[in-house]
């Protein structure tokens, strides 16, 4: 039996897709990088990408839309000091590559930067976190349609109050190749799938929505009958619960957050504030606070791009760096920030494998991968039972955060009013308002049920979207402001 070293195998796949068909080889990459280095730069890279994606959606019992697209191109970047010059093209050719390289090299600014010394070629070390497969080919078109029809059938069978079912199935096959001025050559093959389920329940003229779903870096056959049934049940339960919801109270309350997806509040409220660019510029509420207490004891927050098959995981980041398990906050003490290559260099620290970009047409920047809080030792039932009067929020919709101040606003899509340790009734219209760094200091109980989300997260920053993961255990936060409708 012949085995293939995964790093070299991915490099071969990327070469076959992104170089060979266009008459390019490694010598042409070296030539383009040399063109950039002809002027003074601190760093430079080439980012080739091939992406094939497919989507199917069901509504009113019919698979109404299907989409299929292929995109490919190359981004060329030069960095000098804090300046970045960037050009991209969807024409992969030696002429386009050299033209882009000539364009970006003009960034040079004497006195602020130095020449990048050419070094021997080396293949970057990488992980093997997910299979090198094309998820779109993992099910045929008939099976994809049948999968969505199964969602419709199961949802309507759960309860007669379900009047509408919407489902979406998406797959993406992404291959990237990175060549850096320091001689690094790296590649990745990234499958990504997602199944989304939404239902509308109606009773006595009132309509409510419930949603669920999941995904990750594997094939579409991951969505077996049991998992589809689980997603459907969650969506139906959420919609039926909201049919009974009363207006949410308002005021400063004890709030308990459920495990898993509610970690999106952690992602927004403090995650972005721990990205290197905001801290280098001094615009984050966490700037200059390494080694200081920024959270209650017991609070440990990680960003981990090395979790197998997770939506936010990567074998390498979009600058060719190996992803890492980065401890951001440990037992309440700020330990570090998430870094891409440029901000790490300017802050005189090492990159953390968090350089990410939406596509070859975008510049990389520090971004989260899978960001989560570790669990504690308290059973979740004890945490809920500790509430005298407060809110138990188990699911969230949208939210916003101001990086500089740390202030956030989040809408709870599923929440319950609790009195004397007992869940009384579901509530609707609850909005959590607070300050991320301050909220971390108000964590008083941490559950032993840490859970990652089901694989649905997408993060936006400066107009770029990338897949991410979130997670947390059940948490009690004291004195959080709740905006309600009651």
């Amino acid at each position: 039996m012949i085995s293939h070293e995964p790093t070299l195998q991915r490099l071969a796949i990327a070469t076959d897709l992104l170089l060979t068909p266009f008459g390019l080889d490694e010598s042409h990459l070296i030539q383009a990088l040399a063109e950039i280095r002809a002027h003074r730069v601190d760093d430079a890279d080439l980012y080739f990408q091939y992406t094939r994606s497919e989507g199917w959606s069901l509504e009113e019992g019919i698979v109404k839309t299907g989409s299929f697209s292929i995109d490919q191109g190359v981004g060329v970047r030069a960095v000098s000091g804090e300046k970045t010059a960037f050009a991209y093209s969807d024409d992969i050719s030696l002429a386009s590559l050299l033209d882009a390289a000539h364009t970006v090299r003009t960034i040079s600014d004497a006195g602020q930067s130095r020449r990048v010394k050419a070094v021997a070629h080396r293949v970057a070390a990488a992980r093997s976190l997910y299979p090198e497969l094309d998820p779109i080919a993992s099910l045929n078109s008939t099976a994809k349609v049948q999968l969505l029809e199964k969602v419709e059938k199961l949802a309507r069978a759960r309860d007669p109050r379900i009047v509408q079912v919407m489902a979406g199935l998406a797959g993406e096959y992404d291959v990237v190749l990175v060549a850096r001025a320091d001689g690094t050559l790296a590649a990745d093959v990234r499958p990504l799938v997602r199944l989304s389920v939404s239902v509308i329940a109606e009773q006595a003229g009132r309509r409510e929505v419930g949603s669920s779903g999941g995904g990750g870096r594997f094939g579409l056959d991951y969505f077996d009958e049991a998992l589809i049934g689980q997603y459907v049940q969650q969506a139906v339960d959420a919609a039926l619960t909201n049919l009974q919801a009363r207006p949410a109270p308002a005021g400063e309350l004890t709030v308990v957050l459920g495990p898993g997806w509610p970690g999106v509040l952690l992602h927004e409220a403090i995650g972005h504030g721990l990205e290197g660019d905001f801290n280098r510029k001094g615009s984050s509420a966490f700037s200059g606070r390494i080694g200081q207490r920024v959270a209650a004891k017991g609070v440990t927050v990680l960003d981990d791009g090395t979790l197998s098959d997770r939506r936010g995981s990567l074998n390498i980041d979009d600058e060719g760096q190996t992803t890492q398990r980065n401890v951001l906050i440990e037992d309440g003490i700020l330990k570090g920030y998430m870094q891409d290559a440029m901000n790490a260099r300017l802050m005189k620290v090492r990159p953390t494998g968090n350089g990410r970009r939406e596509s070859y047409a975008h510049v990389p920047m520090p971004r989260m991968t899978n960001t989560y809080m570790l669990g504690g030792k308290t059973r979740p039932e004890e945490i809920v039972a500790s509430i005298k009067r407060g809110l138990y929020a188990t699911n969230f919709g949208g939210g916003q955060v101001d990086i500089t101040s740390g202030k956030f606003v989040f809408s709870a899509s599923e929440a319950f009013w609790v009195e004397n340790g007992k869940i009384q009734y579901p509530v609707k219209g609850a909005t959590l308002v607070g300050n991320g760094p301050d909220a971390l200091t108000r964590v008083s109980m941490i559950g032993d049920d840490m859970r990652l989300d089901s694989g649905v997260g997408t993060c936006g920053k400066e107009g770029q979207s990338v897949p991410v993961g979130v997670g947390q255990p059940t948490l009690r936060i004291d004195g959080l402001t709740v905006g309600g409708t009651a």
Side-chain angles (χ1 to χ4, degrees):
M1 176 178 171
I2 300 174
S3 62
H4 297 279
E5 201 284 320
T7 301
L8 298 178
Q9 179 76 1
R10 288 192 289 266
L11 194 56
I13 293 171
T15 299
D16 288 345
L17 268 176
L18 291 163
L19 298 184
T20 305
F22 309 102
L24 298 176
D25 58 32
E26 190 182 327
S27 69
H28 297 117
L29 309 189
I30 295 171
Q31 183 181 349
L33 289 168
E35 174 75 11
I36 300 173
R37 288 199 306 268
H39 282 206
R40 296 178 181 273
V41 293
D42 288 309
D43 199 3
D45 60 25
L46 314 176
Y47 183 84
F48 294 83
Q49 183 179 31
Y50 170 92
T51 303
R52 186 167 70 251
S53 58
E54 182 182 89
W56 301 78
S57 64
L58 174 144
E59 192 172 349
E60 298 176 350
I62 303 169
V63 176
K64 287 190 170 183
T65 61
S67 61
F68 184 85
S69 67
I70 295 177
D71 191 18
Q72 61 190 21
V74 59
V76 179
R77 179 179 61 143
V79 181
S80 178
E82 297 183 11
K83 299 179 182 179
T84 297
F86 181 71
Y88 70 91
S89 174
D90 58 6
D91 172 32
I92 300 178
S93 67
L94 181 58
S96 294
L97 192 60
L98 294 179
D99 183 56
H102 180 76
T103 299
V104 302
R105 79 177 189 177
T106 58
I107 191 176
S108 68
D109 185 3
Q112 287 192 8
S113 45
R114 56 182 174 79
R115 289 183 184 273
V116 176
K117 182 181 179 182
V119 297
H121 154 77
R122 65 183 179 87
V123 176
R127 305 183 184 280
S128 294
L129 303 174
Y130 34 82
E132 298 154 9
L133 59 80
D134 177 359
I136 296 172
S138 60
L139 284 183
N140 62 38
S141 297
T142 300
K144 293 167 187 172
V145 171
Q146 290 174 342
L147 190 157
L148 293 175
E149 290 175 339
K150 184 176 296 182
V151 171
E152 161 87 13
K153 181 179 179 181
L154 288 174
R156 291 189 179 276
R158 294 286 181 187
D159 195 283
R161 288 170 289 181
I162 299 301
V163 296
Q164 192 168 345
V165 180
M166 294 144 288
L169 186 65
E172 182 178 286
Y173 178 61
D174 193 33
V175 180
V176 302
L177 176 67
V178 184
R180 296 184 59 85
D182 65 1
T184 299
L185 193 63
D188 202 5
V189 178
R190 302 168 175 171
L192 188 65
V193 299
R194 177 174 171 174
L195 174 63
S196 303
V197 179
S198 293
V199 302
I200 297 176
E202 183 175 13
Q203 181 177 329
R206 178 174 174 177
R207 287 184 151 217
E208 296 292 347
V209 177
S211 301
S212 185
R217 297 195 179 279
F218 29 66
L220 289 168
D221 49 0
Y222 171 78
F223 301 117
D224 60 20
E225 190 160 347
L227 189 58
I228 294 170
Q230 179 183 320
Y231 291 159
V232 168
Q233 185 67 62
Q234 290 169 349
V236 170
D237 287 349
L240 298 181
T241 296
N242 286 331
L243 280 177
Q244 312 303 320
R246 305 181 194 178
E252 190 173 284
L253 300 168
T254 298
V255 175
V256 170
L257 307 177
W261 177 248
V264 68
L265 190 149
L266 181 79
H267 167 103
E268 294 288 359
I270 70 164
H272 281 296
L274 295 175
E275 291 168 339
D277 47 356
F278 297 123
N279 289 281
R280 177 178 63 81
K281 298 171 185 175
S283 59
S284 168
F286 293 99
S287 296
R289 300 189 65 187
I290 297 290
Q292 296 181 19
R293 177 165 297 282
V294 296
K297 287 186 69 63
V299 173
T300 296
V301 179
L302 285 73
D303 184 86
D304 190 350
T306 71
L307 303 175
S308 295
D309 298 330
R310 297 297 305 179
R311 180 175 172 84
S313 295
L314 298 169
N315 288 316
I316 55 168
D317 73 1
D318 294 325
E319 298 181 304
Q321 304 280 352
T322 305
T323 51
Q324 299 178 25
R325 181 181 186 269
N326 299 301
V327 179
L328 306 175
I329 298 173
E330 186 173 26
D331 199 20
I333 305 299
L334 182 60
K335 293 294 185 179
Y337 307 123
M338 292 167 277
Q339 301 285 4
D340 64 349
M342 184 185 80
N343 286 282
R345 174 176 52 80
L346 293 170
M347 295 181 75
K348 295 180 171 55
V349 295
R350 296 177 64 85
T352 60
N354 288 93
R356 305 191 65 187
R357 58 178 107 196
E358 180 177 322
S359 76
Y360 68 88
H362 300 82
V363 294
M365 64 181 85
R367 303 294 299 271
M368 286 173 272
T369 56
N370 303 296
T371 310
Y372 57 95
M373 183 187 296
L374 295 184
K377 298 180 180 179
T378 308
R379 290 186 297 120
E381 311 89 71
E382 293 178 38
I383 298 177
V384 175
S386 73
I387 305 173
K388 186 174 182 181
R389 294 181 77 252
L391 199 70
Y392 177 37
T394 57
N395 209 349
F396 283 93
Q400 294 180 328
V401 63
D402 181 284
I403 302 299
T404 303
S405 66
K407 292 180 180 178
F408 63 81
V409 179
F410 267 86
S411 299
S413 58
E414 190 173 6
F416 302 85
W417 179 248
V418 181
E419 285 188 24
N420 298 318
K422 302 291 184 183
I423 295 176
Q424 302 297 313
Y425 49 81
V427 297
K428 186 181 180 184
T431 301
L432 304 188
V433 182
N435 175 284
D438 177 66
L440 285 183
T441 67
R442 296 173 179 266
V443 173
S444 59
M445 301 178 79
I446 303 174
D448 62 2
D449 58 340
M450 199 291 286
R451 191 169 76 212
L452 296 169
D453 76 289
S454 60
V456 296
T458 299
C459 174
K461 178 181 175 181
E462 298 182 19
Q464 294 193 40
S465 295
V466 296
V468 296
V470 300
Q472 68 173 40
T474 297
L475 296 178
R476 171 174 162 153
I477 304 177
D478 296 328
L480 201 58
T481 300
V482 177
T485 53

